[in-house]
Amino acid sequence: MKKLLNDPARVVDEMVEGYVSAFPQYIRRLESSPRALVRRELPQGKVGVVIGGGSGHEPGFMGYVGQGFADGVAVGNIFASPSPDPIVAVTEAVHHGAGVLYIYGNYAGDGMNFDMSAELAAMSGIRTATVRITDDIASAPADQAEKRRGIAGFVLLFKVAGAASEMGYGLEELAQVCAKANDRTRTMGVALSPCTLPQTGKPAFELADDEMEIGLGIHGEPGMERGKLASADEVAERLMVSILSELELTRGDRVAVLVNGLGSTTMMELFIVFRKAAAILSELGVSVHRSYVGEYVTSMEMGGCSITVMKLDDELTKMIDHRADCPAFTQI
């Protein structure tokens, strides 16, 4: 895989430099930590929302800092958790007396470093609460949902957190509504080709030209099953069957649907997948209240996609509909 790089050891720092230069109207970098980014104009008097995670998932996670989303983000190395330093720096910058919510994917490194940051923040008198996103059906069975990974459901959960914060939810209320949203969100993905890490120049895993893997993680973690490449409709149906088996949707329900590309899948393919997912929901009498199709949480240049479905109620609908304006997501 050919890549436009300078020094592979500096790809993250150079990416952050370019990102801040490209979107100065949205974001600024804190002088205390080069991997700590916050909104250009930080709102006062509300709970701060802090996200973070490894690089290589662009536009996640930097792209979701702005109005209606997060107030700040801590950036890690490729597929690696950010260290406590940028997390604490962002926490201190976005805190204005109402506390700070940490919301991030359920990975061991992220949990360890955000928990450590929460302890350090507490020593400075900053209250924090944590929501770990666990939308990936493939990563653990339903009776062990607390062990599941967070994947493209990040986007909808970040949106709920940002909207609820701007609506005036207190810290405990914010954590509760985000936990409810997490419980109502499921994602399943399929990989068609691997990604190549800049530091190694080698594929993260191997798939034959006629193979696909259901449930493979966004860092290349093993999936549920590997088989022959299927049609778009067959793949969409396979993913939706798993999602619907857990959400237990009934006629009249409303959902938000996100079809996410993993890095090298064309919009043409993503729309074809969405077409089938929407048809399946329509047959069940379930209405798609909001739909999002595109690259939201990638895995470098991995081929494939995922489908995320969030079961809405009146409260979550208001948050999904809430205005948003950040580099990776604008909704009027």
Side-chain angles (χ1 to χ4, degrees), residues 30-308:
L30 298 178
E31 293 183 3
S32 59
S33 178
R35 302 282 185 89
L37 310 179
V38 298
R39 289 172 65 169
R40 167 59 60 183
E41 301 294 335
L42 284 169
Q44 305 292 309
K46 75 175 192 68
V47 175
V49 177
V50 174
I51 63 176
S55 298
H57 304 300
E58 292 71 37
F61 298 88
M62 298 184 301
Y64 302 112
V65 174
Q67 182 184 16
F69 270 86
D71 298 303
V73 59
V75 181
N77 286 324
I78 293 177
F79 296 173
S81 168
S83 69
D85 285 347
I87 300 172
V88 172
V90 172
T91 302
E92 293 174 344
V94 307
H95 180 249
H96 298 291
V100 174
L101 177 74
Y102 291 157
I103 181 165
Y104 55 87
N106 187 34
Y107 295 92
D110 291 303
M112 178 180 67
N113 289 333
F114 272 93
D115 285 350
M116 188 181 304
S117 301
E119 293 176 4
L120 294 170
M123 294 171 62
S124 300
I126 301 175
R127 292 187 306 127
T128 63
T130 294
V131 174
R132 294 177 180 170
I133 301 169
T134 57
D135 58 303
D136 182 11
I137 289 176
S139 54
D143 61 356
Q144 299 178 42
E146 74 282 356
K147 297 181 179 180
R148 287 178 169 173
R149 304 177 293 234
I151 48 176
F154 286 141
V155 181
L156 300 183
L157 268 294
F158 292 163
K159 189 174 192 316
V160 167
S165 174
E166 292 185 357
M167 290 176 182
Y169 280 55
L171 181 59
E172 291 75 19
E173 296 173 306
L174 182 55
Q176 288 171 3
V177 75
C178 289
K180 178 178 77 170
N182 185 58
D183 290 342
R184 287 168 162 256
T185 303
R186 299 290 187 277
T187 301
M188 178 72 92
V190 60
L192 306 181
S193 61
C195 60
T196 303
L197 302 182
Q199 293 89 341
T200 66
K202 298 179 180 180
F205 57 92
E206 294 184 1
L207 273 175
D209 290 343
D210 62 345
E211 285 185 323
M212 65 179 187
E213 186 159 350
I214 299 291
L216 187 134
I218 57 174
H219 307 111
E221 301 96 333
M224 298 173 64
E225 60 188 69
R226 181 174 292 200
K228 294 298 183 181
L229 183 64
S231 69
D233 282 358
E234 290 170 328
V235 169
E237 185 169 5
R238 172 68 180 84
L239 302 183
M240 288 297 291
V241 165
S242 294
I243 291 169
L244 295 174
S245 69
E246 294 201 11
L247 282 184
E248 299 180 351
L249 298 171
T250 59
R251 186 169 295 276
D253 282 341
R254 292 165 294 158
V255 297
V257 178
L258 184 146
V259 173
N260 173 64
L262 295 177
S264 66
T265 307
T266 65
M267 289 297 295
M268 176 186 292
E269 295 163 87
L270 298 180
F271 282 125
I272 293 172
V273 169
F274 177 82
R275 161 188 164 275
K276 181 61 176 179
I280 291 171
L281 292 167
S282 179
E283 291 172 4
L284 296 174
V286 174
S287 61
V288 178
H289 179 75
R290 286 272 184 178
S291 55
Y292 306 99
V293 180
E295 292 191 337
Y296 293 92
V297 179
T298 64
S299 184
M300 302 295 288
E301 77 283 2
M302 188 184 292
C305 70
S306 61
I307 300 176
T308 301

